[in-house]
Each structure stands twice: as C-alpha cells, then as structure tokens.
Amino acid sequence: MDGNYTTFNQDVTPAVAAKGLDSALAPVFAAVSDAIAQGKLIQAQLTITSAEPTIIRLETGIVNLPFADAKKNYQLFRT
C-alpha cells in the first residue's frame, strides 16, 4: 500500500515485438530476477507502443493481487 516496490518498464515498437517477444521481454525478466535475488517486490512491464498500447506486466507479491489495487486489497484482509 505504501508503494514499497520497484517499477521497471521496457518500451518497444510493434516492429521490434513482431521480431520476437523473447528478446523484447528479456530486460523485463532480468529486472524481475534481480529484484527477487535482492528480496524486493517489483512491478515490471513491457509496453508495445502504438495508438493503443499493449502491456505485458509481471508482478511479485505476497498474494496474487495487482499492486495497482493495493488499497482495495487492504479491505479484504482487515479484521
């Protein structure tokens, strides 16, 4: 809820993504791997830029809920 996580974004053009998502996603996976090795939470994404962008996002967390909804998720765990 406090935003205590690292963020990473890799922008690529549709032409680069069409050549292969493996290479386009490599920096995203590297950022996630580094954060895990350091014991940190991360939100990493690949953004394919276009008029209507496509976003592939990876997040590490304690529960399988998006960081963007952290304040809403807090309500689920209150007693």
Short mmCIF file of all heavy atoms in Angstrom, two decimals:
data_model
loop_
_atom_site.label_atom_id
_atom_site.label_comp_id
_atom_site.label_asym_id
_atom_site.label_seq_id
_atom_site.Cartn_x
_atom_site.Cartn_y
_atom_site.Cartn_z
N MET A 1 0.82 -1.19 0.00
CA MET A 1 0.00 0.00 0.00
C MET A 1 0.86 1.25 0.00
O MET A 1 0.43 2.27 -0.49
CB MET A 1 -0.92 0.03 1.22
CG MET A 1 -2.21 -0.67 0.97
SD MET A 1 -3.39 -0.69 2.32
CE MET A 1 -2.89 0.57 3.41
N ASP A 2 2.05 1.14 0.56
CA ASP A 2 2.92 2.31 0.64
C ASP A 2 3.75 2.51 -0.62
O ASP A 2 4.56 3.41 -0.67
CB ASP A 2 3.86 2.19 1.85
CG ASP A 2 3.09 2.19 3.16
OD1 ASP A 2 2.01 2.80 3.21
OD2 ASP A 2 3.57 1.57 4.12
N GLY A 3 3.56 1.65 -1.61
CA GLY A 3 4.34 1.77 -2.84
C GLY A 3 5.78 1.34 -2.67
O GLY A 3 6.65 1.82 -3.37
N ASN A 4 6.02 0.44 -1.72
CA ASN A 4 7.38 -0.02 -1.46
C ASN A 4 7.76 -1.16 -2.41
O ASN A 4 8.05 -2.27 -1.98
CB ASN A 4 7.52 -0.49 -0.01
CG ASN A 4 7.35 0.64 0.97
OD1 ASN A 4 7.64 1.79 0.64
ND2 ASN A 4 6.89 0.34 2.15
N TYR A 5 7.75 -0.86 -3.66
CA TYR A 5 8.16 -1.84 -4.66
C TYR A 5 8.84 -1.10 -5.80
O TYR A 5 8.63 0.08 -6.02
CB TYR A 5 6.98 -2.67 -5.16
CG TYR A 5 5.84 -1.88 -5.75
CD1 TYR A 5 5.81 -1.60 -7.12
CD2 TYR A 5 4.80 -1.42 -4.97
CE1 TYR A 5 4.77 -0.86 -7.67
CE2 TYR A 5 3.76 -0.70 -5.51
CZ TYR A 5 3.75 -0.42 -6.86
OH TYR A 5 2.72 0.29 -7.41
N THR A 6 9.67 -1.84 -6.51
CA THR A 6 10.40 -1.28 -7.64
C THR A 6 9.54 -1.39 -8.89
O THR A 6 8.77 -2.34 -9.05
CB THR A 6 11.70 -2.08 -7.85
OG1 THR A 6 12.44 -2.06 -6.64
CG2 THR A 6 12.53 -1.52 -8.97
N THR A 7 9.66 -0.41 -9.77
CA THR A 7 8.96 -0.49 -11.05
C THR A 7 9.98 -0.48 -12.18
O THR A 7 11.05 0.12 -12.06
CB THR A 7 7.98 0.68 -11.25
OG1 THR A 7 8.68 1.90 -11.17
CG2 THR A 7 6.87 0.65 -10.20
N PHE A 8 9.65 -1.17 -13.25
CA PHE A 8 10.51 -1.23 -14.42
C PHE A 8 9.61 -1.27 -15.64
O PHE A 8 8.60 -1.98 -15.66
CB PHE A 8 11.39 -2.50 -14.39
CG PHE A 8 12.23 -2.68 -15.62
CD1 PHE A 8 13.46 -2.06 -15.73
CD2 PHE A 8 11.79 -3.47 -16.67
CE1 PHE A 8 14.23 -2.21 -16.87
CE2 PHE A 8 12.55 -3.63 -17.80
CZ PHE A 8 13.78 -3.01 -17.90
N ASN A 9 9.96 -0.50 -16.68
CA ASN A 9 9.18 -0.51 -17.92
C ASN A 9 10.13 -0.55 -19.11
O ASN A 9 11.09 0.20 -19.17
CB ASN A 9 8.29 0.72 -18.02
CG ASN A 9 7.41 0.67 -19.26
OD1 ASN A 9 6.69 -0.29 -19.47
ND2 ASN A 9 7.46 1.68 -20.08
N GLN A 10 9.84 -1.44 -20.03
CA GLN A 10 10.59 -1.55 -21.28
C GLN A 10 9.63 -1.23 -22.41
O GLN A 10 8.64 -1.92 -22.61
CB GLN A 10 11.15 -2.98 -21.43
CG GLN A 10 11.87 -3.25 -22.71
CD GLN A 10 13.23 -2.57 -22.78
OE1 GLN A 10 13.84 -2.30 -21.77
NE2 GLN A 10 13.69 -2.30 -23.97
N ASP A 11 9.90 -0.14 -23.13
CA ASP A 11 9.08 0.24 -24.29
C ASP A 11 9.69 -0.33 -25.56
O ASP A 11 10.91 -0.24 -25.76
CB ASP A 11 9.00 1.76 -24.44
CG ASP A 11 8.19 2.42 -23.35
OD1 ASP A 11 7.25 1.78 -22.85
OD2 ASP A 11 8.48 3.57 -23.00
N VAL A 12 8.86 -0.93 -26.40
CA VAL A 12 9.30 -1.40 -27.71
C VAL A 12 8.25 -1.03 -28.75
O VAL A 12 7.08 -0.86 -28.42
CB VAL A 12 9.55 -2.93 -27.75
CG1 VAL A 12 10.67 -3.33 -26.82
CG2 VAL A 12 8.31 -3.72 -27.44
N THR A 13 8.68 -0.94 -29.98
CA THR A 13 7.75 -0.67 -31.07
C THR A 13 7.10 -1.98 -31.50
O THR A 13 7.63 -3.06 -31.24
CB THR A 13 8.49 -0.05 -32.27
OG1 THR A 13 9.43 -1.00 -32.76
CG2 THR A 13 9.19 1.25 -31.89
N PRO A 14 5.98 -1.89 -32.20
CA PRO A 14 5.36 -3.11 -32.71
C PRO A 14 6.31 -3.90 -33.64
O PRO A 14 6.29 -5.13 -33.64
CB PRO A 14 4.14 -2.61 -33.47
CG PRO A 14 3.79 -1.33 -32.78
CD PRO A 14 5.11 -0.73 -32.41
N ALA A 15 7.14 -3.19 -34.39
CA ALA A 15 8.08 -3.86 -35.29
C ALA A 15 9.09 -4.71 -34.51
O ALA A 15 9.40 -5.84 -34.89
CB ALA A 15 8.80 -2.84 -36.15
N VAL A 16 9.58 -4.17 -33.40
CA VAL A 16 10.52 -4.92 -32.56
C VAL A 16 9.82 -6.13 -31.93
O VAL A 16 10.37 -7.23 -31.90
CB VAL A 16 11.12 -4.00 -31.47
CG1 VAL A 16 11.91 -4.81 -30.45
CG2 VAL A 16 12.00 -2.93 -32.10
N ALA A 17 8.61 -5.94 -31.44
CA ALA A 17 7.86 -7.04 -30.84
C ALA A 17 7.56 -8.14 -31.86
O ALA A 17 7.58 -9.32 -31.53
CB ALA A 17 6.57 -6.52 -30.23
N ALA A 18 7.30 -7.75 -33.10
CA ALA A 18 7.00 -8.73 -34.14
C ALA A 18 8.20 -9.62 -34.45
O ALA A 18 8.03 -10.75 -34.91
CB ALA A 18 6.53 -8.01 -35.41
N LYS A 19 9.40 -9.10 -34.20
CA LYS A 19 10.62 -9.90 -34.44
C LYS A 19 10.78 -11.00 -33.41
O LYS A 19 11.51 -11.95 -33.63
CB LYS A 19 11.85 -9.01 -34.43
CG LYS A 19 11.92 -8.07 -35.62
CD LYS A 19 13.16 -7.22 -35.56
CE LYS A 19 13.20 -6.23 -36.71
NZ LYS A 19 14.36 -5.34 -36.63
N GLY A 20 10.13 -10.86 -32.28
CA GLY A 20 10.19 -11.90 -31.25
C GLY A 20 10.03 -11.32 -29.86
O GLY A 20 10.78 -10.43 -29.47
N LEU A 21 9.04 -11.82 -29.15
CA LEU A 21 8.81 -11.35 -27.79
C LEU A 21 9.89 -11.83 -26.83
O LEU A 21 10.10 -11.23 -25.78
CB LEU A 21 7.43 -11.76 -27.30
CG LEU A 21 6.26 -10.95 -27.85
CD1 LEU A 21 4.95 -11.49 -27.32
CD2 LEU A 21 6.40 -9.48 -27.51
N ASP A 22 10.57 -12.93 -27.17
CA ASP A 22 11.62 -13.43 -26.28
C ASP A 22 12.66 -12.36 -26.01
O ASP A 22 12.99 -12.08 -24.86
CB ASP A 22 12.30 -14.67 -26.88
CG ASP A 22 11.40 -15.88 -26.92
OD1 ASP A 22 10.31 -15.83 -26.32
OD2 ASP A 22 11.79 -16.87 -27.54
N SER A 23 13.17 -11.76 -27.05
CA SER A 23 14.21 -10.75 -26.88
C SER A 23 13.63 -9.45 -26.30
O SER A 23 14.29 -8.75 -25.54
CB SER A 23 14.94 -10.47 -28.19
OG SER A 23 14.04 -10.01 -29.18
N ALA A 24 12.39 -9.13 -26.64
CA ALA A 24 11.76 -7.92 -26.12
C ALA A 24 11.52 -8.04 -24.62
O ALA A 24 11.64 -7.06 -23.87
CB ALA A 24 10.46 -7.64 -26.86
N LEU A 25 11.18 -9.24 -24.15
CA LEU A 25 10.89 -9.45 -22.74
C LEU A 25 12.13 -9.72 -21.90
O LEU A 25 12.06 -9.69 -20.66
CB LEU A 25 9.92 -10.63 -22.57
CG LEU A 25 8.45 -10.31 -22.84
CD1 LEU A 25 7.64 -11.59 -22.97
CD2 LEU A 25 7.88 -9.44 -21.74
N ALA A 26 13.27 -9.97 -22.52
CA ALA A 26 14.49 -10.31 -21.78
C ALA A 26 14.83 -9.28 -20.70
O ALA A 26 15.12 -9.67 -19.56
CB ALA A 26 15.66 -10.50 -22.74
N PRO A 27 14.79 -7.96 -20.98
CA PRO A 27 15.09 -7.00 -19.92
C PRO A 27 14.06 -7.02 -18.77
O PRO A 27 14.40 -6.77 -17.62
CB PRO A 27 15.06 -5.64 -20.63
CG PRO A 27 15.20 -5.94 -22.07
CD PRO A 27 14.62 -7.30 -22.28
N VAL A 28 12.82 -7.33 -19.09
CA VAL A 28 11.77 -7.40 -18.07
C VAL A 28 12.06 -8.57 -17.14
O VAL A 28 12.03 -8.44 -15.91
CB VAL A 28 10.38 -7.54 -18.73
CG1 VAL A 28 9.29 -7.71 -17.68
CG2 VAL A 28 10.08 -6.34 -19.62
N PHE A 29 12.36 -9.74 -17.73
CA PHE A 29 12.67 -10.91 -16.92
C PHE A 29 13.94 -10.69 -16.10
O PHE A 29 14.02 -11.13 -14.94
CB PHE A 29 12.83 -12.15 -17.80
CG PHE A 29 11.52 -12.65 -18.38
CD1 PHE A 29 11.44 -12.98 -19.72
CD2 PHE A 29 10.39 -12.79 -17.60
CE1 PHE A 29 10.25 -13.43 -20.27
CE2 PHE A 29 9.19 -13.24 -18.14
CZ PHE A 29 9.12 -13.57 -19.47
N ALA A 30 14.92 -10.00 -16.66
CA ALA A 30 16.16 -9.71 -15.93
C ALA A 30 15.88 -8.82 -14.72
O ALA A 30 16.42 -9.03 -13.63
CB ALA A 30 17.18 -9.06 -16.86
N ALA A 31 15.04 -7.81 -14.90
CA ALA A 31 14.69 -6.91 -13.79
C ALA A 31 13.97 -7.67 -12.68
O ALA A 31 14.24 -7.46 -11.49
CB ALA A 31 13.83 -5.76 -14.30
N VAL A 32 13.04 -8.58 -13.06
CA VAL A 32 12.32 -9.38 -12.07
C VAL A 32 13.29 -10.30 -11.34
O VAL A 32 13.26 -10.41 -10.11
CB VAL A 32 11.17 -10.17 -12.73
CG1 VAL A 32 10.57 -11.17 -11.75
CG2 VAL A 32 10.10 -9.23 -13.25
N SER A 33 14.17 -10.93 -12.07
CA SER A 33 15.15 -11.84 -11.48
C SER A 33 16.06 -11.10 -10.50
O SER A 33 16.33 -11.59 -9.39
CB SER A 33 15.98 -12.49 -12.58
OG SER A 33 16.92 -13.38 -12.04
N ASP A 34 16.52 -9.92 -10.87
CA ASP A 34 17.37 -9.11 -9.98
C ASP A 34 16.62 -8.73 -8.70
O ASP A 34 17.19 -8.78 -7.61
CB ASP A 34 17.86 -7.85 -10.69
CG ASP A 34 18.88 -8.13 -11.77
OD1 ASP A 34 19.43 -9.25 -11.81
OD2 ASP A 34 19.12 -7.22 -12.60
N ALA A 35 15.37 -8.32 -8.84
CA ALA A 35 14.59 -7.93 -7.68
C ALA A 35 14.37 -9.11 -6.74
O ALA A 35 14.48 -8.97 -5.51
CB ALA A 35 13.24 -7.34 -8.12
N ILE A 36 14.09 -10.27 -7.30
CA ILE A 36 13.89 -11.47 -6.48
C ILE A 36 15.18 -11.80 -5.73
O ILE A 36 15.17 -12.12 -4.55
CB ILE A 36 13.41 -12.65 -7.33
CG1 ILE A 36 11.97 -12.39 -7.80
CG2 ILE A 36 13.50 -13.96 -6.55
CD1 ILE A 36 11.46 -13.38 -8.82
N ALA A 37 16.31 -11.71 -6.43
CA ALA A 37 17.61 -12.00 -5.81
C ALA A 37 17.90 -11.05 -4.65
O ALA A 37 18.57 -11.43 -3.69
CB ALA A 37 18.72 -11.92 -6.86
N GLN A 38 17.39 -9.82 -4.74
CA GLN A 38 17.60 -8.82 -3.69
C GLN A 38 16.50 -8.85 -2.62
O GLN A 38 16.52 -8.06 -1.69
CB GLN A 38 17.67 -7.42 -4.30
CG GLN A 38 18.86 -7.22 -5.21
CD GLN A 38 18.81 -5.87 -5.91
OE1 GLN A 38 18.15 -4.94 -5.46
NE2 GLN A 38 19.52 -5.76 -7.02
N GLY A 39 15.52 -9.73 -2.81
CA GLY A 39 14.43 -9.84 -1.85
C GLY A 39 13.46 -8.66 -1.90
O GLY A 39 12.84 -8.32 -0.91
N LYS A 40 13.31 -8.06 -3.08
CA LYS A 40 12.44 -6.91 -3.25
C LYS A 40 11.21 -7.26 -4.08
O LYS A 40 11.25 -8.18 -4.90
CB LYS A 40 13.19 -5.76 -3.93
CG LYS A 40 14.32 -5.22 -3.10
CD LYS A 40 14.98 -4.07 -3.79
CE LYS A 40 16.09 -3.49 -2.92
NZ LYS A 40 16.73 -2.35 -3.57
N LEU A 41 10.15 -6.51 -3.88
CA LEU A 41 8.96 -6.64 -4.73
C LEU A 41 9.17 -5.79 -5.97
O LEU A 41 9.84 -4.76 -5.93
CB LEU A 41 7.72 -6.15 -3.98
CG LEU A 41 7.35 -6.92 -2.71
CD1 LEU A 41 6.19 -6.24 -2.02
CD2 LEU A 41 7.02 -8.36 -3.03
N ILE A 42 8.57 -6.20 -7.08
CA ILE A 42 8.73 -5.46 -8.33
C ILE A 42 7.47 -5.55 -9.17
O ILE A 42 6.73 -6.53 -9.13
CB ILE A 42 9.94 -5.97 -9.15
CG1 ILE A 42 10.21 -5.06 -10.35
CG2 ILE A 42 9.76 -7.42 -9.55
CD1 ILE A 42 11.52 -5.31 -11.06
N GLN A 43 7.26 -4.50 -9.94
CA GLN A 43 6.24 -4.47 -10.99
C GLN A 43 7.01 -4.13 -12.26
O GLN A 43 7.52 -3.02 -12.41
CB GLN A 43 5.21 -3.40 -10.69
CG GLN A 43 4.13 -3.28 -11.75
CD GLN A 43 3.21 -2.11 -11.45
OE1 GLN A 43 3.61 -0.96 -11.55
NE2 GLN A 43 1.98 -2.43 -11.06
N ALA A 44 7.15 -5.10 -13.15
CA ALA A 44 7.92 -4.91 -14.38
C ALA A 44 6.99 -5.13 -15.57
O ALA A 44 6.16 -6.05 -15.56
CB ALA A 44 9.09 -5.88 -14.44
N GLN A 45 7.16 -4.29 -16.59
CA GLN A 45 6.27 -4.44 -17.74
C GLN A 45 6.96 -4.14 -19.04
O GLN A 45 7.92 -3.39 -19.10
CB GLN A 45 5.03 -3.58 -17.59
CG GLN A 45 5.25 -2.09 -17.69
CD GLN A 45 3.97 -1.30 -17.48
OE1 GLN A 45 3.11 -1.70 -16.72
NE2 GLN A 45 3.83 -0.19 -18.15
N LEU A 46 6.43 -4.77 -20.07
CA LEU A 46 6.81 -4.50 -21.45
C LEU A 46 5.64 -3.75 -22.07
O LEU A 46 4.50 -4.21 -22.00
CB LEU A 46 7.06 -5.80 -22.22
CG LEU A 46 7.30 -5.65 -23.72
CD1 LEU A 46 8.68 -5.05 -23.96
CD2 LEU A 46 7.17 -6.97 -24.43
N THR A 47 5.91 -2.58 -22.63
CA THR A 47 4.88 -1.80 -23.29
C THR A 47 5.18 -1.77 -24.78
O THR A 47 6.23 -1.30 -25.19
CB THR A 47 4.82 -0.36 -22.75
OG1 THR A 47 4.61 -0.41 -21.34
CG2 THR A 47 3.71 0.44 -23.41
N ILE A 48 4.27 -2.32 -25.56
CA ILE A 48 4.38 -2.27 -27.01
C ILE A 48 3.64 -1.00 -27.42
O ILE A 48 2.41 -0.92 -27.35
CB ILE A 48 3.78 -3.52 -27.68
CG1 ILE A 48 4.49 -4.77 -27.14
CG2 ILE A 48 3.92 -3.43 -29.19
CD1 ILE A 48 3.85 -6.08 -27.55
N THR A 49 4.42 0.00 -27.82
CA THR A 49 3.86 1.33 -28.09
C THR A 49 3.15 1.34 -29.44
O THR A 49 3.66 0.85 -30.43
CB THR A 49 4.98 2.39 -28.08
OG1 THR A 49 5.96 2.03 -29.05
CG2 THR A 49 5.63 2.49 -26.72
N SER A 50 1.98 1.89 -29.43
CA SER A 50 1.17 2.09 -30.64
C SER A 50 0.03 3.01 -30.24
O SER A 50 -0.02 3.50 -29.12
CB SER A 50 0.65 0.74 -31.17
OG SER A 50 -0.17 0.12 -30.23
N ALA A 51 -0.88 3.24 -31.17
CA ALA A 51 -2.02 4.11 -30.85
C ALA A 51 -2.78 3.57 -29.64
O ALA A 51 -3.26 4.32 -28.81
CB ALA A 51 -2.95 4.21 -32.05
N GLU A 52 -2.88 2.25 -29.55
CA GLU A 52 -3.48 1.59 -28.39
C GLU A 52 -2.44 0.62 -27.84
O GLU A 52 -2.28 -0.50 -28.34
CB GLU A 52 -4.76 0.85 -28.79
CG GLU A 52 -5.57 0.41 -27.62
CD GLU A 52 -6.95 -0.04 -28.04
OE1 GLU A 52 -7.54 0.54 -28.96
OE2 GLU A 52 -7.44 -1.00 -27.42
N PRO A 53 -1.64 1.02 -26.84
CA PRO A 53 -0.52 0.21 -26.37
C PRO A 53 -0.96 -1.13 -25.81
O PRO A 53 -2.06 -1.27 -25.26
CB PRO A 53 0.12 1.05 -25.28
CG PRO A 53 -0.63 2.31 -25.19
CD PRO A 53 -1.79 2.26 -26.11
N THR A 54 -0.08 -2.11 -25.94
CA THR A 54 -0.26 -3.42 -25.33
C THR A 54 0.74 -3.52 -24.20
O THR A 54 1.92 -3.24 -24.39
CB THR A 54 -0.01 -4.54 -26.36
OG1 THR A 54 -0.92 -4.39 -27.44
CG2 THR A 54 -0.17 -5.91 -25.73
N ILE A 55 0.28 -3.94 -23.03
CA ILE A 55 1.14 -4.03 -21.85
C ILE A 55 1.15 -5.46 -21.34
O ILE A 55 0.09 -6.06 -21.13
CB ILE A 55 0.66 -3.08 -20.74
CG1 ILE A 55 0.73 -1.62 -21.23
CG2 ILE A 55 1.49 -3.27 -19.47
CD1 ILE A 55 0.12 -0.62 -20.29
N ILE A 56 2.37 -5.98 -21.15
CA ILE A 56 2.56 -7.28 -20.52
C ILE A 56 3.25 -6.98 -19.19
O ILE A 56 4.36 -6.46 -19.17
CB ILE A 56 3.42 -8.20 -21.39
CG1 ILE A 56 2.75 -8.41 -22.74
CG2 ILE A 56 3.67 -9.53 -20.68
CD1 ILE A 56 3.60 -9.09 -23.77
N ARG A 57 2.59 -7.30 -18.08
CA ARG A 57 3.11 -6.92 -16.77
C ARG A 57 3.35 -8.15 -15.90
O ARG A 57 2.52 -9.05 -15.85
CB ARG A 57 2.13 -5.99 -16.07
CG ARG A 57 2.60 -5.52 -14.71
CD ARG A 57 1.64 -4.55 -14.05
NE ARG A 57 1.55 -3.34 -14.87
CZ ARG A 57 0.41 -2.71 -15.14
NH1 ARG A 57 -0.73 -3.17 -14.70
NH2 ARG A 57 0.41 -1.62 -15.87
N LEU A 58 4.48 -8.13 -15.22
CA LEU A 58 4.82 -9.15 -14.23
C LEU A 58 4.95 -8.46 -12.89
O LEU A 58 5.56 -7.40 -12.79
CB LEU A 58 6.14 -9.84 -14.58
CG LEU A 58 6.22 -10.51 -15.95
CD1 LEU A 58 7.65 -10.98 -16.21
CD2 LEU A 58 5.26 -11.68 -16.02
N GLU A 59 4.40 -9.08 -11.84
CA GLU A 59 4.49 -8.51 -10.51
C GLU A 59 4.82 -9.62 -9.52
O GLU A 59 4.32 -10.73 -9.64
CB GLU A 59 3.17 -7.86 -10.09
CG GLU A 59 2.77 -6.69 -10.93
CD GLU A 59 1.50 -6.00 -10.44
OE1 GLU A 59 0.92 -6.45 -9.43
OE2 GLU A 59 1.11 -5.00 -11.06
N THR A 60 5.67 -9.29 -8.56
CA THR A 60 5.91 -10.20 -7.45
C THR A 60 5.15 -9.65 -6.27
O THR A 60 4.98 -8.44 -6.13
CB THR A 60 7.41 -10.29 -7.11
OG1 THR A 60 7.87 -9.00 -6.73
CG2 THR A 60 8.23 -10.80 -8.28
N GLY A 61 4.67 -10.50 -5.44
CA GLY A 61 3.93 -10.02 -4.29
C GLY A 61 3.62 -11.15 -3.32
O GLY A 61 3.84 -12.33 -3.61
N ILE A 62 3.11 -10.76 -2.18
CA ILE A 62 2.78 -11.73 -1.15
C ILE A 62 1.55 -12.53 -1.54
O ILE A 62 1.48 -13.73 -1.31
CB ILE A 62 2.56 -11.01 0.19
CG1 ILE A 62 3.85 -10.30 0.60
CG2 ILE A 62 2.12 -11.97 1.28
CD1 ILE A 62 3.70 -9.33 1.73
N VAL A 63 0.59 -11.87 -2.13
CA VAL A 63 -0.62 -12.53 -2.62
C VAL A 63 -0.74 -12.22 -4.11
O VAL A 63 -0.15 -11.28 -4.61
CB VAL A 63 -1.88 -12.06 -1.86
CG1 VAL A 63 -1.84 -12.51 -0.41
CG2 VAL A 63 -2.06 -10.57 -1.94
N ASN A 64 -1.51 -12.99 -4.78
CA ASN A 64 -1.65 -12.85 -6.23
C ASN A 64 -2.70 -11.79 -6.57
O ASN A 64 -3.74 -12.09 -7.13
CB ASN A 64 -2.01 -14.20 -6.86
CG ASN A 64 -1.94 -14.16 -8.35
OD1 ASN A 64 -1.28 -13.30 -8.92
ND2 ASN A 64 -2.61 -15.09 -9.01
N LEU A 65 -2.41 -10.55 -6.19
CA LEU A 65 -3.29 -9.43 -6.48
C LEU A 65 -2.44 -8.28 -7.01
O LEU A 65 -1.32 -8.07 -6.54
CB LEU A 65 -4.04 -8.99 -5.21
CG LEU A 65 -4.97 -10.05 -4.60
CD1 LEU A 65 -5.43 -9.61 -3.22
CD2 LEU A 65 -6.16 -10.32 -5.50
N PRO A 66 -2.93 -7.52 -7.98
CA PRO A 66 -2.13 -6.44 -8.57
C PRO A 66 -1.79 -5.32 -7.58
O PRO A 66 -2.60 -4.95 -6.75
CB PRO A 66 -3.02 -5.89 -9.69
CG PRO A 66 -4.16 -6.81 -9.82
CD PRO A 66 -4.23 -7.65 -8.59
N PHE A 67 -0.58 -4.77 -7.70
CA PHE A 67 -0.17 -3.65 -6.87
C PHE A 67 -1.10 -2.45 -7.08
O PHE A 67 -1.34 -1.69 -6.15
CB PHE A 67 1.26 -3.21 -7.19
CG PHE A 67 2.32 -4.20 -6.79
CD1 PHE A 67 3.44 -4.38 -7.56
CD2 PHE A 67 2.19 -4.95 -5.63
CE1 PHE A 67 4.43 -5.27 -7.19
CE2 PHE A 67 3.17 -5.85 -5.25
CZ PHE A 67 4.30 -6.01 -6.03
N ALA A 68 -1.60 -2.29 -8.27
CA ALA A 68 -2.45 -1.14 -8.58
C ALA A 68 -3.70 -1.12 -7.70
O ALA A 68 -4.28 -0.06 -7.46
CB ALA A 68 -2.85 -1.16 -10.05
N ASP A 69 -4.12 -2.28 -7.22
CA ASP A 69 -5.32 -2.36 -6.39
C ASP A 69 -5.00 -2.56 -4.91
O ASP A 69 -5.83 -3.05 -4.15
CB ASP A 69 -6.21 -3.52 -6.88
CG ASP A 69 -6.75 -3.28 -8.28
OD1 ASP A 69 -6.94 -2.11 -8.64
OD2 ASP A 69 -6.97 -4.27 -9.00
N ALA A 70 -3.80 -2.20 -4.49
CA ALA A 70 -3.36 -2.45 -3.11
C ALA A 70 -4.31 -1.87 -2.08
O ALA A 70 -4.61 -2.51 -1.07
CB ALA A 70 -1.96 -1.91 -2.90
N LYS A 71 -4.81 -0.67 -2.30
CA LYS A 71 -5.70 -0.07 -1.31
C LYS A 71 -7.04 -0.81 -1.25
O LYS A 71 -7.61 -0.96 -0.18
CB LYS A 71 -5.90 1.41 -1.61
CG LYS A 71 -4.63 2.18 -1.35
CD LYS A 71 -4.79 3.65 -1.55
CE LYS A 71 -3.44 4.29 -1.29
NZ LYS A 71 -3.40 5.69 -1.41
N LYS A 72 -7.51 -1.29 -2.38
CA LYS A 72 -8.73 -2.09 -2.39
C LYS A 72 -8.49 -3.43 -1.71
O LYS A 72 -9.34 -3.94 -1.00
CB LYS A 72 -9.21 -2.31 -3.82
CG LYS A 72 -9.63 -1.06 -4.54
CD LYS A 72 -10.01 -1.41 -5.97
CE LYS A 72 -10.07 -0.19 -6.84
NZ LYS A 72 -10.26 -0.52 -8.24
N ASN A 73 -7.31 -4.02 -1.97
CA ASN A 73 -6.99 -5.33 -1.41
C ASN A 73 -6.88 -5.29 0.10
O ASN A 73 -7.20 -6.25 0.78
CB ASN A 73 -5.66 -5.85 -1.99
CG ASN A 73 -5.74 -6.04 -3.48
OD1 ASN A 73 -6.80 -6.22 -4.03
ND2 ASN A 73 -4.60 -6.00 -4.13
N TYR A 74 -6.46 -4.15 0.64
CA TYR A 74 -6.34 -4.00 2.08
C TYR A 74 -7.67 -4.31 2.76
O TYR A 74 -7.72 -4.92 3.82
CB TYR A 74 -5.87 -2.59 2.42
CG TYR A 74 -5.83 -2.30 3.90
CD1 TYR A 74 -4.84 -2.86 4.70
CD2 TYR A 74 -6.79 -1.49 4.49
CE1 TYR A 74 -4.80 -2.60 6.06
CE2 TYR A 74 -6.77 -1.23 5.84
CZ TYR A 74 -5.77 -1.78 6.63
OH TYR A 74 -5.74 -1.52 7.96
N GLN A 75 -8.76 -3.92 2.14
CA GLN A 75 -10.07 -4.15 2.71
C GLN A 75 -10.39 -5.64 2.83
O GLN A 75 -11.14 -6.05 3.70
CB GLN A 75 -11.13 -3.45 1.88
CG GLN A 75 -10.97 -1.94 1.89
CD GLN A 75 -11.90 -1.26 0.90
OE1 GLN A 75 -12.62 -1.91 0.17
NE2 GLN A 75 -11.87 0.06 0.89
N LEU A 76 -9.79 -6.45 1.97
CA LEU A 76 -10.03 -7.90 2.02
C LEU A 76 -9.42 -8.54 3.26
O LEU A 76 -9.90 -9.57 3.73
CB LEU A 76 -9.43 -8.58 0.78
CG LEU A 76 -10.02 -8.20 -0.57
CD1 LEU A 76 -9.21 -8.85 -1.68
CD2 LEU A 76 -11.47 -8.63 -0.66
N PHE A 77 -8.37 -7.92 3.80
CA PHE A 77 -7.60 -8.54 4.87
C PHE A 77 -7.85 -7.90 6.24
O PHE A 77 -7.25 -8.30 7.22
CB PHE A 77 -6.12 -8.52 4.54
CG PHE A 77 -5.82 -9.26 3.27
CD1 PHE A 77 -5.48 -8.55 2.13
CD2 PHE A 77 -5.90 -10.62 3.20
CE1 PHE A 77 -5.22 -9.21 0.94
CE2 PHE A 77 -5.66 -11.30 2.03
CZ PHE A 77 -5.31 -10.59 0.89
N ARG A 78 -8.69 -6.89 6.30
CA ARG A 78 -8.99 -6.27 7.59
C ARG A 78 -9.83 -7.19 8.43
O ARG A 78 -10.65 -7.96 7.93
CB ARG A 78 -9.75 -4.96 7.39
CG ARG A 78 -8.91 -3.87 6.85
CD ARG A 78 -9.60 -2.56 6.92
NE ARG A 78 -10.99 -2.67 6.43
CZ ARG A 78 -11.87 -1.70 6.44
NH1 ARG A 78 -11.54 -0.53 6.94
NH2 ARG A 78 -13.08 -1.85 5.98
N THR A 79 -9.64 -7.11 9.73
CA THR A 79 -10.46 -7.93 10.62
C THR A 79 -11.31 -7.06 11.50
O THR A 79 -11.13 -5.90 11.64
CB THR A 79 -9.58 -8.83 11.51
OG1 THR A 79 -8.67 -8.01 12.23
CG2 THR A 79 -8.86 -9.83 10.67
#
